[in-house]
Amino acid sequence: MDVITKFLNYLEFEKRVSPHTITSYGNDLKQFFTYYIFILFPEIAENPDPEIIAEKLKNIDISSIEAPLIRSWIVELLENKIEARSVNRKISALKSFYNYHLKIGTVSKNPLIHIRGPKTPKRLPVYLEEEEVSFLFSRDLFPDSFEGIRDRTILELFYATGMRLSELINLKHSDIDLYESTVKVLGKRDKERIIPFGKTMKELLVFYIAQKEDFFDGLNQKDYLFVTNISNKMYPKAVYRIVNKYLDMVTNLSKKSPHIIRHTFATHMLNRGADINAIKELLGHSSLAATQVYTHNSIEKLKSIYKQAHPRA
């Protein structure tokens, strides 16, 4: 087993990192070590052969990598207009890779110990205004069909709970407690959390489940909550399309993804006085730092109100 595959298996089976992260880290590592191969063998760079590159990657000597080579790779990435955020993720992948191999004794040092990534501009989370959310759910935008009712339930549940896309598509009927008005979510690194929801969400879930049972002539508690019209489990691209379709009707935001609704949930909760620690638990963040980004949105809103209302602003 080559050193990259060994590390990715460690992430998957021991650290239980998300499939998306594993794929990203795998691509980042292959990109860096391909760069290293091109430095060692310029003739391969002139005429890249995927089979030759793959063979070289299997037999790469990771202990021979030094900090100057990594810095030159970072410079090349930036010169190729790769965003600082993406460059920092690639550095993070390489650091994790070497920390793992340092731990198991494959290498005696981590060449990234003194490597610092480029500064990233702080980007505030983008979110929908309350009026836009109200318009989305108060107008007759959703067709009176199984798909229309399902789509509305998906969007309402995102907004009612702030859950992630991966968490929503993996929900089963047994995860919904209609008596307690809660949903059990399996988050990152298999951490479970319980999220409450309100009366409106409960009524919609009862209605959706009844429609689903009628549409498919029965259901099982082990079934996935959200399915396609041929009873297959919902998949990420389908949910992205659903969210994009309906958000496009109510907002001019350039990004219209499930994560925007998650940002909206957190921002609206905070604007209406929710405790930031409670929001952290609801979102399933491992640290408060990840949640505190939403306070910036609230501060910007306060500044706007101040400028409008204060006589000497």
Side-chain angles (χ1 to χ4, degrees):
M1 185 184 299
D2 66 77
V3 287
I4 295 176
T5 304
K6 198 170 184 178
F7 170 65
L8 297 178
N9 285 346
Y10 161 75
L11 292 181
E12 181 178 2
F13 300 114
E14 293 190 40
K15 300 295 286 184
R16 297 193 177 278
V17 170
S18 72
H20 175 75
T21 301
I22 291 169
T23 300
S24 296
Y25 272 31
N27 290 336
D28 293 338
L29 292 170
K30 286 171 186 172
Q31 183 185 22
F32 169 72
F33 287 115
T34 300
Y35 172 81
Y36 176 50
I37 288 167
F38 287 169
I39 295 293
L40 288 181
F41 306 100
E43 66 276 11
I44 296 178
E46 288 177 10
N47 187 23
D49 184 318
E51 290 187 7
I52 293 175
I53 293 170
E55 191 60 35
K56 293 288 185 185
L57 285 172
K58 287 180 183 177
N59 300 296
I60 203 145
D61 178 15
I62 62 172
S63 64
S64 64
I65 305 291
E66 298 288 345
L69 176 76
I70 297 168
R71 289 195 181 96
S72 69
W73 176 59
I74 294 170
V75 169
E76 181 171 286
L77 291 172
L78 294 171
E79 286 177 348
N80 287 330
K81 307 300 182 186
I82 304 298
E83 287 188 4
R85 192 177 298 274
S86 297
V87 173
N88 282 325
R89 190 203 65 221
K90 294 174 189 295
I91 294 170
S92 177
L94 206 53
K95 278 184 180 178
S96 297
F97 172 83
Y98 271 98
N99 281 336
Y100 165 72
H101 282 288
L102 188 63
K103 180 181 173 183
I104 65 171
T106 313
V107 296
S108 58
K109 63 178 181 178
N110 186 338
L112 288 99
I113 193 166
H114 297 302
I115 297 288
R116 296 288 178 269
K119 288 185 177 180
T120 55
K122 286 187 176 180
R123 290 191 298 182
L124 299 181
V126 178
Y127 62 94
L128 299 165
E129 297 294 340
E130 288 191 33
E131 296 78 14
E132 292 173 326
V133 174
S134 178
F135 186 87
L136 175 64
F137 295 130
S138 64
R139 298 295 189 275
D140 191 20
L141 302 179
F142 301 89
D144 187 19
S145 61
F146 167 71
E147 288 94 339
I149 295 163
R150 177 204 62 200
D151 294 354
R152 175 169 188 149
T153 308
I154 285 172
L155 284 155
E156 289 261 22
L157 195 58
F158 272 134
Y159 182 61
T161 64
M163 67 175 65
R164 301 176 179 94
L165 169 61
S166 60
E167 295 168 346
L168 181 131
I169 61 176
N170 285 308
L171 287 177
K172 296 185 177 179
H173 284 276
S174 56
D175 295 321
I176 305 292
D177 188 334
L178 292 170
Y179 181 76
E180 294 289 344
S181 293
T182 59
V183 55
K184 182 175 68 176
V185 169
L186 190 64
K188 288 185 176 181
R189 293 179 173 81
D190 291 344
K191 289 183 180 178
E192 282 189 358
R193 69 185 189 281
I194 304 294
I195 309 175
F197 51 78
K199 183 182 176 183
T200 302
M201 187 72 250
K202 178 179 178 179
E203 290 172 351
L204 184 56
L205 279 167
V206 169
F207 182 60
Y208 164 69
I209 291 168
Q211 293 296 310
K212 182 185 175 188
E213 186 172 16
D214 183 58
F215 190 78
F216 292 110
D217 194 23
L219 52 82
N220 188 300
Q221 285 297 297
K222 293 181 180 178
D223 289 342
Y224 287 104
L225 181 64
F226 295 112
V227 294
T228 66
N229 60 2
I230 56 172
S231 194
N232 291 333
K233 176 186 174 184
M234 286 296 284
Y235 51 98
K237 280 189 178 178
V239 178
Y240 263 101
R241 283 198 295 266
I242 290 166
V243 171
N244 188 279
K245 172 185 174 182
Y246 288 102
L247 292 193
D248 198 42
M249 298 178 186
V250 301
T251 182
N252 292 321
L253 292 176
S254 57
K255 285 191 72 176
K256 303 177 183 72
S257 69
H259 220 70
I260 296 300
I261 309 180
R262 179 171 162 87
H263 292 329
T264 301
F265 163 84
T267 302
H268 290 182
M269 290 280 287
L270 196 62
N271 284 347
R272 286 177 170 260
D275 178 73
I276 193 168
N277 285 293
I279 296 173
K280 168 184 171 291
E281 295 303 317
L282 290 169
L283 292 174
H285 284 160
S286 56
S287 72
L288 192 59
T291 317
Q292 284 174 329
V293 67
Y294 297 106
T295 63
H296 294 292
N297 283 331
S298 295
I299 291 166
E300 291 305 311
K301 188 169 185 177
L302 286 174
K303 284 181 180 178
S304 175
I305 293 168
Y306 179 86
K307 286 178 181 178
Q308 290 173 11
H310 197 284
R312 296 179 68 83

